[in-house]
Amino acid sequence: MRLSVRSPRRRITAVALGAALAAALHGAPPAAQAAPASPTVSIPPAGDHGFPFLAAAEDLGSFGFTESEYFIEGTATSYAKSGIWTSDGRWNVRATGRAAYKTRLLVRRPADPARFNGTVVVEWLNVSGQIDLSPDYWFERDELLRKGYAWVGVSAQEVGVDGGLGEIRGLKGWDPARYGSLVHPGDAYAYDIFSQAGQALRTPIGPDPLGGLHVTTLLADGESQSAGLMTTYVNAVQPVSQVYDGFMIHSNGAVGAPISGSLLDLLAMPNPSRIRTDLPVPTFVVLTETDVPTAFAARQPDTGRVVHWELAGTAHGDQWAYDLGDATVRKSAGSAAPSADCAAGSAPFNDGPGHYSMNAALRHLAAWARGGPRPPSGPLLHPELRDPGTGLATGGIRLPDVAVPTRTLTGLRDTSGSGVFCGLYGARDPWNGDADPWDRHNAGDPSDPLLPRTAEPVLSRLYPTHADYVGKVRAAAQASVDAGYLLLEDATTIVTAAENAGIGEHRSENRR
């Protein structure tokens, strides 16, 4: 299967007409139909640190990329519900207020314009840890850099700018000399701020954040808490703004975020909140094993404009994203960086194939938004039904780490004695004869989440020879590529890792 098919992009006017007609048919009030303004773009001062908050710790130049930061400012609109919101996601809004704002964009783009593929991924930065974080950049990083996307992180929410409960008091507290001029009027305005961020990339007033790159496709992206906001953005604001060409919603729950930013509005949100299916632009929803139990009620059939993937053996946050992001977060936040705070002696983080799935999903979405084929649907995941022999969940998209397992991978874990974020990272349990401190055949043992087993699988019995193991991995990788769930580049990486592994060589720790 060829995953990089390009098709001519729809004309924006046709998209706008389709969205306007759909809004009119569903009774959207005229007051909410104005396109977002183009904000003024400026360059921030150097500040005390001399680099932006969340600046990459790795050398982006070695990948042919540059990193820069810009301020955007203007007047944002707040919204409120118009009419009754129901679970089908066809939500109308009305404008309720206007307020001045000033926030920032963090931009990573190819240094050579010839390497730019025309697609910009605009991530709604996550503030669950009370500071700006970019989880989907970390999940999608390999695909972003190798295929020449531009990535833009938007400080859309008030906590990221002004600070919350954390030790770092937002951007303004972290570096007053750099960020002291920022102004955020509250999260009721965050949706329009995110719209205006996209507009600034299309029609900048002032310095061009993309350095003159020609944008053909603008994708909005959000993970976890940001995915809840993205759900509401897709359902209620995209029909108004018509800014983005496609949406990646990664790890959302069953309920969208409130349009007004208030707790009372959150309690009144439709439960479940499904993705509306009448937009002329596509939405791709990707759920990990951690997410499925909380998002279960919002499941909906795939359509020509909405596709869901549910990933076996993956976690909401995992070892890959943690390792890639930790150095970047600590470069800015130091010892105040948010911690998973897992209990001593508990199992390590899930190190499953979530990033490979996100790479494939991103490439699919970019092609789909350009008018290419719809991504393939995926089977439903059943994390409550686990294989008693391996501890792995049944169903879902099963990449080689799960189809040819060497360890238990789960998106769920016992969080007794741990911090609030620990459960988001899932767990892994190497099959080494129950030699680990967490192998207690109880709720804290990832290999025994529901039905205790007598022992972990024996690798030498599963894979009698190294060639047998590598052959099975190669076959599983090819099957995943053929199904559209894995990119060929990542399949090659997976097979090479299998060839270099000691599986099937009958090491003593695998014997009984």
mmCIF file of all heavy atoms in Angstrom, residues 387-388 390-392 407-408 410 429-431 434 438-439 445-453 456-457:
data_model
loop_
_atom_site.group_PDB
_atom_site.id
_atom_site.type_symbol
_atom_site.label_atom_id
_atom_site.label_comp_id
_atom_site.label_asym_id
_atom_site.label_seq_id
_atom_site.Cartn_x
_atom_site.Cartn_y
_atom_site.Cartn_z
ATOM 1 N N ASP A 387 -5.729 -11.671 26.970
ATOM 2 C CA ASP A 387 -5.232 -13.025 26.766
ATOM 3 C C ASP A 387 -4.606 -13.514 28.067
ATOM 4 O O ASP A 387 -3.626 -12.938 28.546
ATOM 5 C CB ASP A 387 -4.188 -12.991 25.650
ATOM 6 C CG ASP A 387 -3.616 -14.357 25.310
ATOM 7 O OD1 ASP A 387 -3.705 -15.271 26.160
ATOM 8 O OD2 ASP A 387 -3.072 -14.501 24.211
ATOM 9 N N PRO A 388 -5.138 -14.574 28.667
ATOM 10 C CA PRO A 388 -4.584 -15.028 29.952
ATOM 11 C C PRO A 388 -3.158 -15.547 29.845
ATOM 12 O O PRO A 388 -2.451 -15.629 30.858
ATOM 13 C CB PRO A 388 -5.555 -16.132 30.375
ATOM 14 C CG PRO A 388 -6.191 -16.587 29.116
ATOM 15 C CD PRO A 388 -6.288 -15.386 28.231
ATOM 16 N N THR A 390 -0.726 -14.078 27.916
ATOM 17 C CA THR A 390 0.242 -13.002 27.707
ATOM 18 C C THR A 390 -0.085 -11.727 28.479
ATOM 19 O O THR A 390 0.784 -10.860 28.622
ATOM 20 C CB THR A 390 0.325 -12.634 26.217
ATOM 21 O OG1 THR A 390 -0.947 -12.106 25.800
ATOM 22 C CG2 THR A 390 0.683 -13.848 25.367
ATOM 23 N N GLY A 391 -1.319 -11.575 28.930
ATOM 24 C CA GLY A 391 -1.742 -10.339 29.579
ATOM 25 C C GLY A 391 -2.063 -9.225 28.612
ATOM 26 O O GLY A 391 -2.400 -8.112 29.025
ATOM 27 N N LEU A 392 -1.980 -9.490 27.298
ATOM 28 C CA LEU A 392 -2.241 -8.469 26.290
ATOM 29 C C LEU A 392 -3.738 -8.323 26.037
ATOM 30 O O LEU A 392 -4.483 -9.306 26.041
ATOM 31 C CB LEU A 392 -1.539 -8.823 24.979
ATOM 32 C CG LEU A 392 -0.009 -8.782 25.019
ATOM 33 C CD1 LEU A 392 0.573 -9.502 23.820
ATOM 34 C CD2 LEU A 392 0.481 -7.336 25.057
ATOM 35 N N ARG A 407 6.930 -9.255 25.604
ATOM 36 C CA ARG A 407 6.661 -8.695 26.921
ATOM 37 C C ARG A 407 5.193 -8.325 26.974
ATOM 38 O O ARG A 407 4.551 -8.169 25.936
ATOM 39 C CB ARG A 407 7.522 -7.444 27.169
ATOM 40 C CG ARG A 407 7.221 -6.305 26.194
ATOM 41 C CD ARG A 407 8.443 -5.441 25.973
ATOM 42 N NE ARG A 407 8.203 -4.267 25.144
ATOM 43 C CZ ARG A 407 8.122 -4.288 23.814
ATOM 44 N NH1 ARG A 407 8.204 -5.443 23.152
ATOM 45 N NH2 ARG A 407 7.943 -3.167 23.133
ATOM 46 N N THR A 408 4.661 -8.171 28.154
ATOM 47 C CA THR A 408 3.304 -7.661 28.293
ATOM 48 C C THR A 408 3.331 -6.143 28.170
ATOM 49 O O THR A 408 4.119 -5.475 28.839
ATOM 50 C CB THR A 408 2.700 -8.048 29.652
ATOM 51 O OG1 THR A 408 2.632 -9.473 29.734
ATOM 52 C CG2 THR A 408 1.308 -7.478 29.806
ATOM 53 N N THR A 410 0.686 -2.895 28.314
ATOM 54 C CA THR A 410 -0.664 -2.521 28.690
ATOM 55 C C THR A 410 -0.764 -1.008 28.835
ATOM 56 O O THR A 410 0.214 -0.345 29.195
ATOM 57 C CB THR A 410 -1.094 -3.208 30.005
ATOM 58 O OG1 THR A 410 -2.380 -2.717 30.406
ATOM 59 C CG2 THR A 410 -0.107 -2.942 31.117
ATOM 60 N N ASP A 429 5.997 -5.374 31.082
ATOM 61 C CA ASP A 429 6.524 -6.431 31.946
ATOM 62 C C ASP A 429 7.318 -7.402 31.089
ATOM 63 O O ASP A 429 6.737 -8.222 30.368
ATOM 64 C CB ASP A 429 5.379 -7.158 32.656
ATOM 65 C CG ASP A 429 5.876 -8.147 33.700
ATOM 66 O OD1 ASP A 429 7.100 -8.226 33.919
ATOM 67 O OD2 ASP A 429 5.034 -8.843 34.289
ATOM 68 N N PRO A 430 8.646 -7.322 31.098
ATOM 69 C CA PRO A 430 9.453 -8.278 30.326
ATOM 70 C C PRO A 430 9.216 -9.706 30.805
ATOM 71 O O PRO A 430 9.008 -9.950 32.003
ATOM 72 C CB PRO A 430 10.892 -7.823 30.616
ATOM 73 C CG PRO A 430 10.771 -6.410 31.083
ATOM 74 C CD PRO A 430 9.469 -6.325 31.799
ATOM 75 N N TRP A 431 9.249 -10.631 29.864
ATOM 76 C CA TRP A 431 9.042 -12.041 30.220
ATOM 77 C C TRP A 431 10.398 -12.649 30.549
ATOM 78 O O TRP A 431 11.160 -13.082 29.670
ATOM 79 C CB TRP A 431 8.372 -12.761 29.062
ATOM 80 C CG TRP A 431 6.972 -12.235 28.810
ATOM 81 C CD1 TRP A 431 6.188 -11.544 29.684
ATOM 82 C CD2 TRP A 431 6.219 -12.346 27.606
ATOM 83 N NE1 TRP A 431 4.982 -11.228 29.115
ATOM 84 C CE2 TRP A 431 4.967 -11.715 27.844
ATOM 85 C CE3 TRP A 431 6.446 -12.923 26.367
ATOM 86 C CZ2 TRP A 431 3.970 -11.634 26.862
ATOM 87 C CZ3 TRP A 431 5.467 -12.853 25.390
ATOM 88 C CH2 TRP A 431 4.243 -12.221 25.642
ATOM 89 N N ASP A 434 9.378 -14.153 35.808
ATOM 90 C CA ASP A 434 8.858 -13.513 37.024
ATOM 91 C C ASP A 434 9.978 -13.018 37.940
ATOM 92 O O ASP A 434 9.881 -13.089 39.167
ATOM 93 C CB ASP A 434 7.956 -14.478 37.806
ATOM 94 C CG ASP A 434 6.638 -14.727 37.096
ATOM 95 O OD1 ASP A 434 6.160 -13.791 36.421
ATOM 96 O OD2 ASP A 434 6.108 -15.835 37.192
ATOM 97 N N TRP A 438 7.894 -6.317 40.534
ATOM 98 C CA TRP A 438 6.444 -6.137 40.387
ATOM 99 C C TRP A 438 5.730 -7.437 40.011
ATOM 100 O O TRP A 438 4.501 -7.465 39.909
ATOM 101 C CB TRP A 438 6.150 -5.066 39.329
ATOM 102 C CG TRP A 438 6.795 -5.339 38.006
ATOM 103 C CD1 TRP A 438 6.328 -6.126 36.990
ATOM 104 C CD2 TRP A 438 8.049 -4.837 37.556
ATOM 105 N NE1 TRP A 438 7.211 -6.151 35.952
ATOM 106 C CE2 TRP A 438 8.278 -5.356 36.265
ATOM 107 C CE3 TRP A 438 8.996 -3.988 38.125
ATOM 108 C CZ2 TRP A 438 9.417 -5.060 35.526
ATOM 109 C CZ3 TRP A 438 10.128 -3.693 37.384
ATOM 110 C CH2 TRP A 438 10.339 -4.227 36.098
ATOM 111 N N ASP A 439 6.480 -8.522 39.781
ATOM 112 C CA ASP A 439 5.872 -9.810 39.417
ATOM 113 C C ASP A 439 5.349 -10.513 40.659
ATOM 114 O O ASP A 439 5.936 -11.488 41.147
ATOM 115 C CB ASP A 439 6.903 -10.693 38.694
ATOM 116 C CG ASP A 439 7.222 -10.186 37.306
ATOM 117 O OD1 ASP A 439 6.290 -9.716 36.620
ATOM 118 O OD2 ASP A 439 8.389 -10.246 36.902
ATOM 119 N N ASP A 445 0.794 -6.258 38.966
ATOM 120 C CA ASP A 445 1.578 -7.025 38.007
ATOM 121 C C ASP A 445 0.968 -6.848 36.615
ATOM 122 O O ASP A 445 -0.149 -7.313 36.371
ATOM 123 C CB ASP A 445 1.568 -8.502 38.415
ATOM 124 C CG ASP A 445 2.515 -9.349 37.585
ATOM 125 O OD1 ASP A 445 2.859 -8.929 36.467
ATOM 126 O OD2 ASP A 445 2.883 -10.435 38.048
ATOM 127 N N PRO A 446 1.653 -6.179 35.683
ATOM 128 C CA PRO A 446 1.054 -5.931 34.365
ATOM 129 C C PRO A 446 0.680 -7.191 33.606
ATOM 130 O O PRO A 446 -0.218 -7.172 32.780
ATOM 131 C CB PRO A 446 2.159 -5.158 33.619
ATOM 132 C CG PRO A 446 3.000 -4.575 34.682
ATOM 133 C CD PRO A 446 2.971 -5.559 35.815
ATOM 134 N N SER A 447 1.385 -8.289 33.884
ATOM 135 C CA SER A 447 1.070 -9.532 33.185
ATOM 136 C C SER A 447 -0.172 -10.210 33.732
ATOM 137 O O SER A 447 -0.673 -11.160 33.138
ATOM 138 C CB SER A 447 2.255 -10.500 33.260
ATOM 139 O OG SER A 447 3.360 -9.980 32.559
ATOM 140 N N ASP A 448 -0.666 -9.746 34.867
ATOM 141 C CA ASP A 448 -1.827 -10.367 35.505
ATOM 142 C C ASP A 448 -2.892 -9.314 35.843
ATOM 143 O O ASP A 448 -3.264 -9.141 36.995
ATOM 144 C CB ASP A 448 -1.405 -11.072 36.802
ATOM 145 C CG ASP A 448 -0.382 -12.162 36.553
ATOM 146 O OD1 ASP A 448 -0.634 -12.975 35.660
ATOM 147 O OD2 ASP A 448 0.645 -12.173 37.236
ATOM 148 N N PRO A 449 -3.375 -8.573 34.845
ATOM 149 C CA PRO A 449 -4.292 -7.484 35.162
ATOM 150 C C PRO A 449 -5.656 -7.946 35.650
ATOM 151 O O PRO A 449 -6.311 -7.240 36.398
ATOM 152 C CB PRO A 449 -4.416 -6.746 33.831
ATOM 153 C CG PRO A 449 -4.124 -7.783 32.801
ATOM 154 C CD PRO A 449 -3.118 -8.685 33.414
ATOM 155 N N LEU A 450 -6.094 -9.111 35.208
ATOM 156 C CA LEU A 450 -7.424 -9.593 35.593
ATOM 157 C C LEU A 450 -7.370 -10.996 36.186
ATOM 158 O O LEU A 450 -7.846 -11.230 37.291
ATOM 159 C CB LEU A 450 -8.361 -9.575 34.369
ATOM 160 C CG LEU A 450 -8.662 -8.190 33.775
ATOM 161 C CD1 LEU A 450 -9.523 -8.335 32.532
ATOM 162 C CD2 LEU A 450 -9.367 -7.309 34.793
ATOM 163 N N LEU A 451 -6.787 -11.931 35.454
ATOM 164 C CA LEU A 451 -6.742 -13.333 35.899
ATOM 165 C C LEU A 451 -5.291 -13.725 36.169
ATOM 166 O O LEU A 451 -4.487 -13.827 35.242
ATOM 167 C CB LEU A 451 -7.336 -14.255 34.815
ATOM 168 C CG LEU A 451 -8.804 -13.983 34.465
ATOM 169 C CD1 LEU A 451 -9.223 -14.873 33.302
ATOM 170 C CD2 LEU A 451 -9.685 -14.246 35.678
ATOM 171 N N PRO A 452 -4.921 -13.927 37.401
ATOM 172 C CA PRO A 452 -3.528 -14.299 37.687
ATOM 173 C C PRO A 452 -3.118 -15.571 36.961
ATOM 174 O O PRO A 452 -3.873 -16.532 36.865
ATOM 175 C CB PRO A 452 -3.532 -14.503 39.207
ATOM 176 C CG PRO A 452 -4.685 -13.700 39.696
ATOM 177 C CD PRO A 452 -5.722 -13.796 38.624
ATOM 178 N N ARG A 453 -1.894 -15.547 36.437
ATOM 179 C CA ARG A 453 -1.341 -16.731 35.790
ATOM 180 C C ARG A 453 -0.299 -17.351 36.704
ATOM 181 O O ARG A 453 0.155 -16.737 37.658
ATOM 182 C CB ARG A 453 -0.676 -16.348 34.459
ATOM 183 C CG ARG A 453 -1.635 -15.866 33.393
ATOM 184 C CD ARG A 453 -0.886 -15.508 32.117
ATOM 185 N NE ARG A 453 -0.037 -14.330 32.303
ATOM 186 C CZ ARG A 453 1.269 -14.379 32.513
ATOM 187 N NH1 ARG A 453 1.883 -15.539 32.586
ATOM 188 N NH2 ARG A 453 1.970 -13.274 32.679
ATOM 189 N N GLU A 456 5.019 -16.278 33.627
ATOM 190 C CA GLU A 456 5.092 -15.555 32.364
ATOM 191 C C GLU A 456 5.426 -16.514 31.222
ATOM 192 O O GLU A 456 6.017 -17.583 31.448
ATOM 193 C CB GLU A 456 6.179 -14.475 32.457
ATOM 194 C CG GLU A 456 5.853 -13.371 33.449
ATOM 195 C CD GLU A 456 7.007 -12.428 33.693
ATOM 196 O OE1 GLU A 456 8.141 -12.720 33.230
ATOM 197 O OE2 GLU A 456 6.774 -11.395 34.360
ATOM 198 N N PRO A 457 5.095 -16.129 29.986
ATOM 199 C CA PRO A 457 5.488 -16.966 28.848
ATOM 200 C C PRO A 457 7.002 -17.144 28.776
ATOM 201 O O PRO A 457 7.768 -16.285 29.240
ATOM 202 C CB PRO A 457 4.968 -16.185 27.642
ATOM 203 C CG PRO A 457 3.864 -15.345 28.184
ATOM 204 C CD PRO A 457 4.279 -14.981 29.573
#
